[in-house]
Every structure is written in C-alpha cells, then in structure tokens.
Amino acid sequence: MSLSAARSSDTSSRRRRPAEQTQDLPWEHDSQVGHDHEQIRDQLCGDPQPNSTGTPSSHQSICPALCTTKCMPEHACPNHHACDDSWEEIQSKRTIRAENEVEANKLVNNYRFGFRKWKSHVTERPFEVRSEVVKELYSELNVIKPHAGHLITCGNVAYVLLFGWWVSLAYILIGLLMFITITGVPYGKLCWKLSCYFLWPFGKSIHEVQFEVPIPELPGRPLRTPYWHRFSTYAWLLLGYPLLVVIHSLACFLSWILVFTIPVFKMNSRTLGVILLLAPEDVSVSTSLLCCYHAANWYYYKYTLDGINVFAVNLLPLVIVALVIGYIDRENQYASSNVKFAIAICSIIPLSYYIGMGIASISAQSNFAVGAVVNATFGSITELTFYITALLRGHQAANPCLQEVVKAALTGTLLGCILFIPGICMIIGGLRHSEQRFNSRSTGVSSALLFISVGGVFAPTLFSKAYGNLVCDACTNSTRVNGTNGSQPLVYTVCTLLPAAYIIGLIFTLKTHSHIYDIHVGDGQVMGHHGAVVHWSRWRSLLILIMATVLTSACADLVTEHIQPILNQPNISQYFIGVTVLAMVPEIPEIVNGIQFALQNNISLSLEVGSCIAVQVCMLQIPILVFFNAFYDVGFVLLFSDIHLWASIFSVILVNYIFMDGKSDYFQGTALVVVYLILLALYYFAPSPPGC
C-alpha cells in the first residue's frame, strides 16, 4: 500500500493536535511548518486497523519514528528503522508560505548554508490582516473601543508609582501659577482637571468639544474671542506650556525607554502636541468614555519602526554617546575607562542588528550569487572589525595581551555558538513544545563542517605540541614574514584549505545537494509579487551596511582603547573577559533570532544560527586574520592555549552526540548550557595568559 493510501486508511481513527497559533498571520511559515509536521506525525501514527480478515493493515510497515512515543513500543514496531527513514524524508520537506516574493526569498535564505538567519520581516506587512494583539500595539489612544476587563492591573498601578503622581503634582503646581497670573485662570482650571486625569487616566478620555451649529448671540452673553486674540493664550504659552513640555518630554523619554510602557508615551505625546494647544473651553474630561485602558503591554517587544525592533532603536543613541565621550573626553574627566568600555561594547549590539537587517534585505532582493557574496563579506564584519582593531592596538602598544584576548574571544564565540545558543533555544523551545524535531541530515552537514573547521584551526596547535613551539624565540619579525620559520607554511596551508572547504560546503548544500533541505514556495501562498513594500531598498541597505561598519570600527577602537583597566582586574582572568563579554555581546541579536525560531517550533533554524556562526569563525574569520597578519605583521600567531584547545574539541564532540537523533527537548538543552557554564567557570578561575 502506498503512503498516501496508508494516510487515508486511518483517517477516522487518528486524533489531531490543536494548532498552536503563535503567529498573527495564517501563512507565517515557521509555526505553520511545525504544525504541518505535527499533523503528518499524527496521520502516520494511528492505531493499527485490522482488515476484514482480522490481520493488521499493511500500513503498520510504515510506522513513523514517532512510534516509540505515540503508537507502540520500539520493540513492537516491525519496521522501526524504516520508520525513521520515512519520518526523516517527510520532516525534511518544507513549504515556505509568505506574503510576497521578497519575504519568500528571505525565508528560503534562512535555510541556506552560509546565509545569515533572520527572523524579522524585511517588507511591510498588511495591517488589516494582522492579529488584534498586534493591531493594539500600533493603535492610537484617540480611538475609543469597548473594553471588558479590570482596569486595576499591575501595569496601571506601576504607572501611578512611576509616572502618575509627579505628572499630576506638576499640573497642580502649574495650575496655581496660572491662577496667580489672573488672565490664565481658564488654563489653571484646565490644569487641575488634567491633574486628576493623569493621576489615574484609565477608563477616562479627553475629547474636544466641537460646535457644529453656530451659537446664536444672546443678550448679555459675551462673544467667543478667537484663540490668538486672548491674553490668556500668551500667558499660557509663555509660563505654563513650556513647563509642561519638560514634564511630558521626560515622561515620554522614560516610557519609551522602558518599551512595555509605550502606551504612556503615546498618551503624553498626544497631550503635549494636541490637547494642551487647544482652547481650555474646548477640552473636556469625561468619565463615561474609555480611551486608555492599560499603561503597559508585554507584547511591545514586537513593536517596530520602519522594520527595526524598538530595542534596537532605543540602543542606537548609545553609539552617539560612546563616540562623544570616547573621542572628546580623552583625559577621562567626565567618565572613567570602565564606563567608556561598557558603553562602547553595548553600542555594538544595535550596530550588529542593523548589519544583520541590511544583509537580510539585500539577500532577499537579490539573486543567490549576490546574497552569498554579501553574507560572506558582511556576515563577520562586526567580529573582524573588533579583532583587527585589537591586534593593531596591541601591536602599536607592544602589548601581547590583546592578542590573547582576541584568541579568547574567538574561542568564546565558538563555544557560545556550539553550546549556549543551541542549548538556550532547546530549553525555551522544549518548555513550550515538549519535544521538537529537526532535519538531522542537514544538521549533519553543519556538524561535519564543524569537525573540519575545528580540526583545521587547532591543527597548528597540535603540531606545536608534538614538535615544539610554533614560533621560535630567535626568529625576528623580518624572518617570520619571509617565511623562514618552518611551521608557518602549515598555518598558511590550513588557512587556504578552510575557506576552500567553506566554498565546497556552499556548492554542496546550495547546488548539487540542495534536495537535502527541499525548500520550495507553496502554490498560491505568495501574494503581491510586485506590490511588496520593502523597509530598506538595496541601495539603502548597502548604505546602512557601510555606515554601520564604520561606526562599529570606531566603537571597537574605543573598546580596545579602554579595555586595559578591565584586563588589569586581579580577581578576573583575562581569558574569562574574552570568552564572555567580548565574544557574546555582538552575538545577542543572533541569540534573539534563535530563541524566536525555537518558540515557533522551528528548532532547525535555531540550531543553524549557532552552527553558521561557528563555521564562519573557523573557516572565514581566522583565515582572514592570518592573511592580514601576513601582509601587515601584528604578531598574530595561530597558536591557542591548552584550555582553548580542549574546550573546543570537547564541545564539538558533545554537540554532535546531542544532535544525532534529530530530536531536542529542554533536558538536552540544559545539558549543553550546564557544560557551557562549567567551561565559563573553568575560564574564570584559570590564571591569565603568561606575561599579562
């Protein structure tokens, strides 16, 4: 019996799991792919149905690999190995569903080897088809909607403690000031009304009183004076309004930085820009209408501006602050080196996000060749900028410690991408989806490349341990550059073979054996081929890439300039600083992408996020550093300490063992994270490199 026949034979007996709506669009590919796989497993995993003769149906021979958990015990399945093959074949087939052609290209690129994995959209999404939760994030507070629920929430109470009391107090004091001016009495009354509103604005609204029918002139009733012909208007704009500008601007700044309190930002900005510029008799506060319901919304972590996540927008001013205090305050009069180092290293986070967004935008709007070149060129630009800057500064200052810090950062990136990123994604994804499956065959390609890359990178280290020191003490810089050192040809050979292996991996996974991934766009699922509105065009993306690269170089220069006081801390090993702060901070956007993929039951991409970075570290970044040193000698030698060697080898072996069965859960993720933390403790208590 064919597979399709087997599916139809047990339709009546199978049970389907309820679909988990993790996305606000029905065609969002990540969650839909995971749900489709769940349905396939349930379809293939029905109870064996006897036929008319009382014998089991032949579809038992196609029991999937899930038979050990849902259908029957493993020993009871007559064709358990065939089950595994059937499930692997089905699981490897993925159908991309996207709103437009550009998004489809981005989603396909996520599954391509050597391409940066990117979760955020690169095109504008139709607002009318998004979920009510997302629509609420972008709604304005002037829209009054029916609300059923409690207004006394933790977020609203926090608003009173963080904002409400002092904004209300400011209105009371400014109201008193307007009463003193006599002419500003109407605005004083308005301020007192608004003081009650801003103390607890929930369940209330401020609306403009509009006179659609002209008011007839009555005997003894004064005519309505135009707004700009009143003395009270100028008293208000000179005395009261400027003070409230300061108050509301401060409230806007604080509520925007906190992200989850963006509704408070909207309320204050609208009050400042609209309500306070109206005539006082045109403003009315009514308790019978509802406008602002909650001061906080936890879903604001999804909020974007022009496709950029709000956290990346909020962190971008750190770049300006880092450059200003770093290059102007040379004498550390206003900020210490520790503060400058912390601000500079944190400023790399938003720049790394912008670089990732630019790479994804260009790749989604270009053909395969352009995308591959952009990913290979800019994919490691953040890390390479820091490494080269540190090596140059260490060479100029005759400080060999910075070279060891670079090696520790390289190893830390490798360990974090092999252990921490997959581990934390497995934990979070496993807690939400119990057990997740991934294409072990495609993961095996990345695992093989990891073995090749780690083996190649540490081959000179193993050679030096077997046959002596890699660099002889008697060799001068000139002889080392000219290649008289007999061990240097091994380094150049390895650094030539590693990029070649990377290119072969690209050809294998993207051309000759692309069926391993089997990614295609579903028929009828891509809409608006020519109507897609991209956030960033190709030229704009390229310009942002160049600007972000230049700013990253400047911030990396500040990091290396002010890192020495951090390295001189007696209680912290320099190894630990390199493998933690310098290695993982630039990778925070990638960690967030991996976690989002895991939450959407797409653990395959979560694992590929770490593997892709680790492979690029070994096959691209390290060879580039070696060849850079060949052209401009900065003293970089491809010789790692024992702790880097054994930690990396052990990590690669462990992660390949974990990935063998093609399944993941939170226990396996916990094992990886625990091992990572053990290695960090090892680095923390290890002595600093010799001579540092």
Side-chain angles (χ1 to χ4, degrees):
M1 182 182 295
S2 65
L3 182 60
S4 60
R7 290 179 181 175
S8 61
S9 65
D10 65 312
T11 303
S12 60
S13 64
R14 71 173 183 260
R15 291 186 305 169
R16 294 187 179 183
R17 297 182 182 178
E20 299 185 21
Q21 300 298 331
T22 58
Q23 287 296 320
D24 50 357
L25 279 177
W27 55 69
E28 186 68 33
H29 84 292
D30 293 326
S31 59
Q32 188 64 36
V33 168
H35 176 54
D36 291 344
H37 291 168
E38 291 289 333
Q39 289 185 343
I40 292 174
R41 277 185 282 172
D42 290 338
Q43 292 172 6
L44 290 175
C45 202
D47 295 331
Q49 301 292 325
N51 56 21
S52 59
T53 61
T55 59
S57 174
S58 60
H59 80 272
Q60 294 182 26
S61 61
I62 317 180
C63 176
L66 208 62
C67 62
T68 58
T69 58
K70 292 185 65 177
C71 301
M72 63 185 71
E74 180 178 348
H75 64 273
C77 182
N79 260 332
H80 182 69
H81 296 293
C83 301
D84 293 334
D85 295 338
S86 299
W87 169 247
E88 288 297 330
E89 180 182 357
I90 294 170
Q91 200 273 343
S92 64
K93 297 180 183 299
R94 297 178 183 273
T95 300
I96 298 298
R97 297 177 174 89
E99 302 94 323
N100 52 68
E101 189 174 8
V102 177
E103 282 298 324
N105 291 336
K106 188 212 72 175
L107 298 178
V108 171
N109 289 339
N110 281 341
Y111 291 93
R112 287 174 170 170
F113 170 76
F115 280 69
R116 195 159 185 165
K117 320 305 175 189
W118 194 252
K119 176 63 184 67
S120 302
H121 278 63
V122 296
T123 60
E124 294 184 6
R125 306 172 68 182
F127 184 79
E128 61 276 4
V129 297
R130 303 187 74 172
S131 68
E132 293 300 323
V133 174
V134 176
K135 289 181 180 179
E136 182 66 23
L137 301 182
Y138 297 93
S139 63
E140 296 295 335
L141 297 183
N142 59 341
V143 179
I144 300 175
K145 301 177 182 178
H147 176 72
H150 298 287
L151 294 176
I152 302 178
T153 62
C154 295
N156 292 351
V157 173
Y159 163 83
V160 176
L161 300 176
L162 295 176
F163 302 97
W165 69 270
W166 57 270
V167 174
S168 177
L169 179 61
Y171 269 101
I172 293 175
L173 297 178
I174 295 173
L176 291 174
L177 176 63
M178 298 310 297
F179 275 110
I180 293 174
T181 62
I182 306 299
T183 59
V185 169
Y187 285 97
K189 295 179 180 179
L190 174 63
C191 288
W192 283 8
K193 291 181 181 180
L194 293 179
S195 68
C196 298
Y197 175 83
F198 279 100
L199 183 62
W200 185 265
F202 314 107
K204 306 174 184 178
S205 68
I206 302 175
H207 58 91
E208 181 181 1
V209 178
Q210 297 180 351
F211 301 97
E212 297 180 0
V213 180
I215 300 177
E217 298 182 9
L218 298 177
R221 180 171 182 174
L223 295 176
R224 177 182 172 93
T225 306
Y227 180 75
W228 293 107
H229 293 175
R230 307 176 187 179
F231 289 107
S232 61
T233 299
Y234 296 97
W236 168 250
L237 294 179
L238 292 175
L239 297 177
Y241 185 74
L243 297 176
L244 290 175
V245 168
V246 177
I247 296 298
H248 283 294
S249 298
L250 179 60
C252 287
F253 174 77
L254 295 176
S255 58
W256 180 267
I257 290 297
L258 294 176
V259 175
F260 301 105
T261 57
I262 287 181
V264 179
F265 165 84
K266 294 180 179 180
M267 181 172 58
N268 282 271
S269 61
R270 185 164 185 83
T271 300
L272 188 62
V274 177
I275 295 173
L276 295 181
L277 296 178
L278 294 174
E281 65 271 15
D282 292 344
V283 180
S284 174
V285 180
S286 174
T287 57
S288 61
L289 299 176
L290 298 175
C291 185
C292 182
Y293 311 118
H294 299 288
N297 189 334
W298 301 114
Y299 287 97
Y300 266 101
Y301 73 89
K302 296 182 176 181
Y303 196 78
T304 60
L305 294 175
D306 196 22
I308 301 299
N309 186 269
V310 62
F311 288 102
V313 174
N314 287 349
L315 289 175
L316 193 59
L318 282 179
V319 180
I320 301 175
V321 174
L323 297 178
V324 170
I325 67 174
Y327 288 106
I328 294 180
D329 183 24
R330 288 291 188 178
E331 303 298 329
N332 295 341
Q333 296 180 355
Y334 304 101
S336 63
S337 292
N338 293 341
V339 173
K340 293 180 180 179
F341 171 82
I343 296 177
I345 194 70
C346 291
S347 65
I348 295 179
I349 299 175
L351 293 175
S352 178
Y353 180 93
Y354 278 79
I355 290 175
M357 180 72 173
I359 292 173
S361 298
I362 294 178
S363 300
Q365 301 174 66
S366 307
N367 56 31
F368 158 73
V370 174
V373 171
V374 170
N375 277 269
T377 304
F378 289 96
S380 303
I381 197 67
T382 302
E383 297 85 352
L384 284 175
T385 300
F386 168 73
Y387 299 149
I388 294 177
T389 304
L391 291 175
L392 289 172
R393 185 170 293 277
H395 176 67
Q396 294 170 359
N399 184 5
C401 295
L402 288 180
Q403 180 186 156
E404 295 300 326
V405 169
V406 169
K407 294 178 183 177
L410 287 167
T411 307
T413 304
L414 192 63
L415 298 179
C417 295
I418 293 177
L419 297 176
F420 180 73
I421 295 181
I424 197 67
C425 293
M426 283 182 171
I427 292 175
I428 296 177
L431 290 175
R432 182 164 185 174
H433 301 286
S434 182
E435 182 180 89
Q436 296 177 293
R437 289 177 172 263
F438 54 89
N439 188 350
S440 59
R441 189 177 181 189
S442 62
T443 307
V445 176
S446 300
S447 300
L449 288 173
L450 271 179
F451 269 117
I452 295 172
S453 58
V454 171
V457 165
F458 290 100
T461 304
L462 295 173
F463 180 86
S464 68
K465 293 186 177 301
Y467 299 105
N469 200 341
L470 181 64
V471 179
C472 60
D473 296 332
C475 296
T476 62
N477 288 338
S478 59
T479 59
R480 200 180 307 155
V481 173
N482 292 332
T484 57
N485 189 341
S487 301
Q488 284 298 100
L490 173 62
V491 175
Y492 296 140
T493 301
V494 167
C495 291
T496 302
L497 293 176
L498 287 177
Y502 184 83
I503 296 175
I504 293 174
L506 286 175
I507 298 174
F508 178 82
T509 56
L510 303 180
K511 288 296 182 181
T512 62
H513 288 68
S514 59
H515 61 275
I516 293 177
Y517 300 89
D518 200 7
I519 307 299
H520 63 281
V521 178
D523 296 335
Q525 299 296 336
V526 176
M527 296 178 292
H529 290 258
H530 304 289
V533 179
V534 295
H535 291 300
W536 296 357
S537 65
R538 277 177 287 191
W539 287 109
R540 181 184 178 186
S541 300
L542 181 60
L543 179 61
I544 292 176
L545 274 177
I546 296 174
M547 293 177 59
T549 302
V550 173
L551 293 175
T552 301
S553 177
C555 292
D557 180 67
L558 293 174
V559 170
T560 57
E561 179 181 353
H562 298 283
I563 195 177
Q564 198 58 47
I566 309 294
L567 299 178
N568 292 336
Q569 296 289 334
N571 299 326
I572 302 178
S573 173
Q574 295 182 5
Y575 285 138
F576 181 77
I577 297 173
V579 299
T580 54
V581 178
L582 302 180
M584 296 308 296
V585 167
E587 308 301 337
I588 288 179
E590 302 297 335
I591 297 175
V592 174
N593 280 331
I595 291 175
Q596 288 180 324
F597 287 131
L599 287 174
Q600 294 170 347
N601 203 18
N602 196 343
I603 194 64
S604 295
L605 284 184
S606 297
L607 303 181
E608 288 293 334
V609 167
S611 299
C612 181
I613 300 174
V615 169
Q616 284 190 343
V617 168
C618 295
M619 292 190 166
L620 293 180
Q621 295 180 19
I622 291 179
I624 289 175
L625 293 178
V626 170
F627 288 120
F628 175 80
N629 183 80
F631 288 102
Y632 185 83
D633 187 11
V634 292
F636 180 75
V637 180
L638 195 60
L639 178 63
F640 292 86
S641 62
D642 290 350
I643 188 173
H644 297 328
L645 171 65
W646 302 120
S648 301
I649 294 177
F650 172 73
S651 300
V652 173
I653 295 175
L654 174 64
V655 78
N656 277 274
Y657 176 77
I658 294 291
F659 289 171
M660 279 195 307
D661 59 352
K663 297 180 292 184
S664 71
D665 49 53
Y666 74 89
F667 177 76
Q668 292 178 333
T670 302
L672 293 178
V673 173
V674 168
V675 171
Y676 178 73
L677 295 177
I678 292 174
L679 292 178
L680 289 188
L682 184 67
Y683 279 106
Y684 181 83
F685 293 106
S688 296
C692 296

